[in-house]
Amino acid sequence: MKKVLAMILALCMVFALSAVSYADDLVECDDVTLSFCCSAAETTCWAQMANVFADYVNERTTGNFEVEIYAMDQLTNGSQTEGIQAVCDGSIDLSAHSNLIYSNFDQRLNVVSLPFIFDNTEEVDEILDGAGYDALAPIVEGMGLHLMGIAENGFRHITNNQRPIESLADMKGLVIRVAGAQVLKDEYEAWGTNYTTANWSEVYTGLQTGTYEAQENPLPTADASSISDVQDYVTYWTGVYDCIFFTMNQDLYDSFSPEMQALIDEAGAYAANNQRQLEREGDQEVLAKWEEGGMTVSYLSDEAVQDFKDAAAGVPAKFVQTCVGLGFDQAEVEDMVAIFVGE
């Protein structure tokens, strides 16, 4: 009996010491509730990224760390640009928005979405986890933001309700809604479309009423807004890509202790990388679901891809000149383009 009691006491001491050790490893932090905005729906991995981030920090701090999610930029009436501005100003704490929307503040961020710069997601990771990150981070952080990680919106596939798009000729005259970024306008002009811009929150109704015939977006984003209900065809390609900047207001970040800042950076990188994988899994799941549901899926032949590339060959030079016209140094912009285009 004495041996049993001794063993129980010993185990209790081990558990007690383990609990003390675990508590010692926690980062000191008061209770915190942060606001997060994104342009995608609450069911997407954009919003899930905020939860993953919050859980990661919460498990490693003494306080209660929470994030309140406001999807579809509901705090700024659906305006993605105003959503970013609100984080810069500090009225919203965190955000996830595409580089295409960020280009309204700095055109250089459109470099990620130049035509056909990535053939696959392995190339995406190589650039965005390396030289690309180093080039983009100072631009984003110059806006009063702290960049916690680069997540993924993905390859922007084209859907429409007119015809399969399997060649450059099939794009001619298509009335397509594109995100309001100059590089997209230049690309879709080069490809012969009749493009227009609108907030994402307005696109479903526009497609439903016939204001637009087509739109371009990564499949999970489109599926979360039920785009397949009003579109019959999807072209699955690598023509245009965009990333997501996962950011925190810089003043807010500076208000945390160095230990907490390190944890925030660790959690941000983890959440962004996790989101990339979820986005890629979701891309394949949506493609299969749409095809099974009767949507026509088209892929471009090598010859067709080359035709699209040739038609948009002048876009990188036009991008450089746009940036130079805004006062940016030409050599610096060309160096950035070289990182992504590989020239």
Side-chain angles (χ1 to χ4, degrees), residues 79-153:
S79 172
Q80 300 172 72
T81 302
E82 291 180 16
I84 295 171
Q85 185 63 59
V87 182
C88 296
D89 296 341
S91 55
I92 299 176
D93 301 315
L94 308 166
S95 86
H97 287 91
S98 165
N99 65 284
L100 293 169
I101 309 304
Y102 268 90
S103 71
N104 288 294
F105 300 88
D106 194 312
Q107 284 287 325
R108 292 175 295 174
L109 297 173
N110 274 330
V111 69
V112 181
S113 301
L114 289 171
F116 290 99
I117 58 175
F118 304 120
D119 288 332
N120 50 58
T121 54
E122 289 77 19
E123 291 184 6
V124 170
D125 292 343
E126 181 181 355
I127 297 298
L128 292 185
D129 291 337
Y133 188 101
D134 294 339
L136 298 168
I139 299 174
V140 175
E141 295 191 335
M143 297 167 54
L145 301 169
H146 181 73
L147 181 60
M148 298 185 295
I150 297 181
E152 179 164 279
N153 199 19

Side-chain angles (χ1 to χ4, degrees), residues 76-288:
T76 53
N77 297 315
S79 172
Q80 300 172 72
T81 302
E82 291 180 16
I84 295 171
Q85 185 63 59
V87 182
C88 296
D89 296 341
S91 55
I92 299 176
D93 301 315
L94 308 166
S95 86
H97 287 91
S98 165
N99 65 284
L100 293 169
I101 309 304
Y102 268 90
S103 71
N104 288 294
F105 300 88
D106 194 312
Q107 284 287 325
R108 292 175 295 174
L109 297 173
N110 274 330
V111 69
V112 181
S113 301
L114 289 171
F116 290 99
I117 58 175
F118 304 120
D119 288 332
N120 50 58
T121 54
E122 289 77 19
E123 291 184 6
V124 170
D125 292 343
E126 181 181 355
I127 297 298
L128 292 185
D129 291 337
Y133 188 101
D134 294 339
L136 298 168
I139 299 174
V140 175
E141 295 191 335
M143 297 167 54
L145 301 169
H146 181 73
L147 181 60
M148 298 185 295
I150 297 181
E152 179 164 279
N153 199 19
F155 291 109
R156 301 179 68 86
H157 309 294
I158 302 166
T159 69
N160 81 96
N161 60 12
Q162 296 296 302
R163 56 188 173 271
I165 296 174
E166 298 175 345
S167 69
L168 183 61
D170 293 331
M171 288 276 272
K172 300 297 183 182
L174 192 69
V175 181
I176 184 170
R177 177 270 179 188
V178 302
Q182 188 60 48
V183 70
L184 288 181
K185 297 175 186 178
D186 292 341
E187 288 163 344
Y188 280 91
E189 181 178 14
W191 292 328
T193 70
N194 181 10
Y195 70 83
T196 187
T197 62
N199 281 331
W200 178 238
S201 58
E202 303 168 7
V203 173
Y204 182 91
T205 301
L207 292 169
Q208 188 178 44
T209 59
T211 303
Y212 328 119
E213 298 170 337
Q215 65 85 41
E216 46 78 48
N217 253 300
L219 299 190
T221 299
D223 188 59
S225 293
S226 303
I227 293 300
S228 63
D229 291 349
V230 289
Q231 301 276 264
D232 300 318
Y233 307 97
V234 58
T235 300
Y236 194 84
W237 72 342
T238 61
V240 184
Y241 175 92
D242 67 315
C243 67
I244 300 169
F245 297 129
F246 185 32
T247 61
M248 174 181 285
N249 174 268
Q250 183 66 55
D251 290 339
L252 174 62
Y253 178 81
D254 291 342
S255 72
F256 290 108
S257 68
E259 294 78 13
M260 192 64 182
Q261 289 176 353
L263 178 57
I264 286 170
D265 289 339
E266 183 181 306
Y270 174 81
N273 287 330
N274 180 72
Q275 187 276 343
R276 280 193 212 176
Q277 298 309 310
L278 292 176
E279 182 73 27
R280 292 165 189 177
E281 292 169 8
D283 175 82
Q284 293 302 301
E285 291 169 1
V286 172
L287 183 65

